[in-house]
Amino acid sequence: MTYARHKLSDNLETLPRMPSWVTSGRTEPPEDVAFLSGAALGHLHLVLGRGEVPQALLRERLALLAAEACVAFSGRSERAGELRDAVHLLRPGDLPGPAGDTYLAWRRAVERPVSIKALGRALPTLEPGQIAAWLDAGKGAPVTRAAMALEAVLREAPRAEEAALILADAALAQTLGWDHVVPLLAAGLKRADLRKQGVDLKLACHRALVSSAAEAVRLSTDLARRAAHLKAVAPKLRAKGAGDAVEMFLTCDAVAPSALPLPDRAARRLCDRLVDLGAVRELTGRDTFRLYGV
């Protein structure tokens, strides 16, 4: 076990770190900002190819950040904890509310490989033909295509920030050759950026991607470490269904005990055991209606 733990630690140490010069924060000429965003995306591309990074979990955590940003763009005050509650504590027949709908859209956007059908699940009010047209609104390099998709949506539907940002990230993913949407732009852009057009919007997207790609790399390293620890302690879990429960924690941002494939009491005990082992965290700080995550 000690050898295995050291080997896991060694593997995580090989995850490449974002060079400090990429995120120096200096104000740069437009061509330099474009170079830095390309470097940041190239570095993230390497990290996303690493097997030790829990990809589905990373996308879910980034989807939460994107949803939080979109909710703020709409003038609402819900933060990450409230978005989790709105989705994970839903009872049959309940509606998630506007903020919860935004979070659900982002979760669905990252769930399946990029396609018109998958994006239609995330944006059910849009026709497939409209999604395809907006997705293909731009040509050229990845950030240029993403910015043009963003601008095309907001030109025709100025209040559709959520759809615009999902489709912009989808265009970015397709151009970079990524199978899934990786939410990046929403968390990096400012509300005022969404009113920009042309070269100004493209520059804003470049700036946003420098910071958001760096955050995605940092989060990848953190989640890889946490996932490795959860896998290491999994053999200690004797509850029937514990293996399936561990897989849920490795793919979902947050899990309610009632969602686990165990009886209620056994599920709560398993969550408490994983917290004691330092493998998962209780995310709400409450005594009841708790949520857990890596």
Side-chain angles (χ1 to χ4, degrees):
M1 179 63 74
T2 301
Y3 171 76
R5 189 181 298 117
H6 283 313
K7 188 169 182 62
L8 283 170
S9 176
D10 290 343
N11 286 342
L12 293 177
E13 287 300 321
T14 66
L15 277 176
R17 297 181 181 181
M18 184 74 76
S20 59
W21 55 264
V22 175
T23 57
S24 62
R26 296 189 302 272
T27 302
E28 305 285 358
E31 61 271 18
D32 290 349
V33 176
F35 172 77
L36 292 175
S37 76
L41 288 171
H43 190 86
L44 177 59
H45 183 83
L46 292 176
V47 171
L48 293 179
R50 298 295 294 263
E52 57 266 52
V53 176
Q55 305 291 341
L57 177 56
L58 172 64
R59 292 194 302 272
E60 278 236 339
R61 196 62 53 86
L62 291 172
L64 178 62
L65 296 177
E68 192 176 36
C70 284
V71 167
F73 291 152
S74 69
R76 300 185 65 88
S77 60
E78 288 91 343
R79 306 294 292 174
E82 293 162 298
L83 295 178
R84 283 176 172 140
D85 285 353
V87 169
H88 294 289
L89 300 181
L90 272 181
R91 295 178 179 178
D94 286 351
L95 297 175
D101 280 336
T102 294
Y103 183 26
L104 281 172
W106 277 103
R107 292 188 74 210
R108 289 168 181 157
V110 305
E111 202 171 40
R112 300 182 181 185
V114 182
S115 68
I116 301 301
K117 184 177 180 179
L119 292 169
R121 289 184 69 253
L123 303 167
T125 62
L126 298 181
E127 294 293 330
Q130 183 64 83
I131 292 174
W134 279 337
L135 192 61
D136 292 334
K139 305 296 180 184
V143 182
T144 298
R145 186 179 171 198
M148 292 178 73
L150 181 60
E151 183 175 349
V153 179
L154 293 177
R155 185 190 307 116
E156 297 182 42
R159 300 183 64 182
E161 293 97 344
E162 172 190 314
L165 288 161
I166 286 174
L167 293 176
D169 273 328
L172 184 71
Q174 282 190 329
T175 317
L176 289 169
W178 296 346
D179 291 336
H180 291 76
V181 172
V182 179
L184 294 173
L185 283 165
L189 288 167
K190 299 178 175 62
R191 189 174 187 178
D193 291 330
L194 300 181
R195 296 192 291 271
K196 296 177 179 177
Q197 297 179 343
V199 174
D200 290 337
L201 179 58
K202 185 167 71 170
L203 180 60
C205 289
H206 278 301
R207 291 190 187 282
L209 289 167
V210 174
S211 60
S212 58
E215 172 60 17
V217 169
R218 185 204 65 77
L219 191 56
S220 297
T221 302
D222 181 54
L223 291 178
R225 184 176 296 108
R226 293 177 181 275
H229 181 54
L230 175 56
K231 291 175 183 178
V233 304
K236 300 180 181 180
L237 307 173
R238 295 187 176 87
K240 186 177 180 180
D244 291 335
V246 166
E247 187 59 29
M248 288 183 67
F249 283 115
L250 289 171
T251 56
C252 299
D253 165 69
V255 178
S258 60
L260 294 175
L262 293 97
D264 287 348
R265 184 174 296 182
R268 290 194 296 271
R269 283 201 303 266
L270 177 65
C271 290
D272 289 340
R273 173 67 169 151
L274 288 170
V275 170
D276 290 341
L277 291 169
V280 303
R281 299 169 292 159
E282 201 288 308
L283 300 172
T284 70
R286 297 187 295 248
D287 293 329
T288 57
F289 300 106
R290 289 181 158 187
L291 296 173
Y292 298 83
V294 170

